[in-house]
Amino acid sequence: MAPAPFTPYTFIQCPCSDSSQAGPPSPSSPTGPGSDTEDDDRTFDPRAPRSNYSLYPLEYLMYCEDCHQIRCPRCVAEEIVTYYCPSCLFEVPSSNLKSEGNRCTRSCFQCPVCIGPLTVTSLEAPPDPSLLAADNASAPSGPYILACSYCHWSSTEIDIKFDKPNGIYAQLQKVHNGGHPRTTAKERKDRRKETISETAVSP
């Protein structure tokens, strides 16, 4: 069996691991011949065990435009600048993350069968394009469903339909699988009060 071909690869040292940029040692630190101070003054050895924490492949490094230095994951702090939907790649305001349940405001949903994107379509039959449409022809009205154009799955299989083409997440919060309406916390509280009052009145 022939050995696997050797592919050379380059690892780059991050400046944060260069001990020569560090300040002078403190007076309390040992200065003997076997101390760490003497070891730090030596030239960087890529074969030393500590080099495993100092050498990185090129795709792991970043370039700082302020200090014009190479930076590794150990010496940078990541900061979230913006949120975006991975489906439509539109930016999502941070204020909508909680109100929309961490969902895209453009009603981006995935098919539960093939994980393809779902589109909001109307159950009303589209007009025949061969016929001349009137100038005041209205747009297709509801009810609306979520349909997959790849595996042809639709929300009608679980008896879920929508009254409006937008605000799909808010409408889903009001129904169970099967299209049965979901009782809100206020409705459950009112029913509990009615049950308690009927129990107190009954002899």
Side-chain angles (χ1 to χ4, degrees), residues 9 12 19 48 52 62 71 163 170 173 187:
Y9 202 84
I12 303 174
S19 59
N52 295 331
M62 290 160 281
R71 295 302 176 191
D163 299 329
Q173 290 292 97
E187 293 175 351

Side-chain angles (χ1 to χ4, degrees), residues 117-139:
L118 296 177
T119 57
V120 181
T121 58
S122 175
L123 286 177
E124 182 180 348
D128 191 353
S130 61
L131 301 177
L132 295 177
D135 296 337
N136 57 353
S138 59

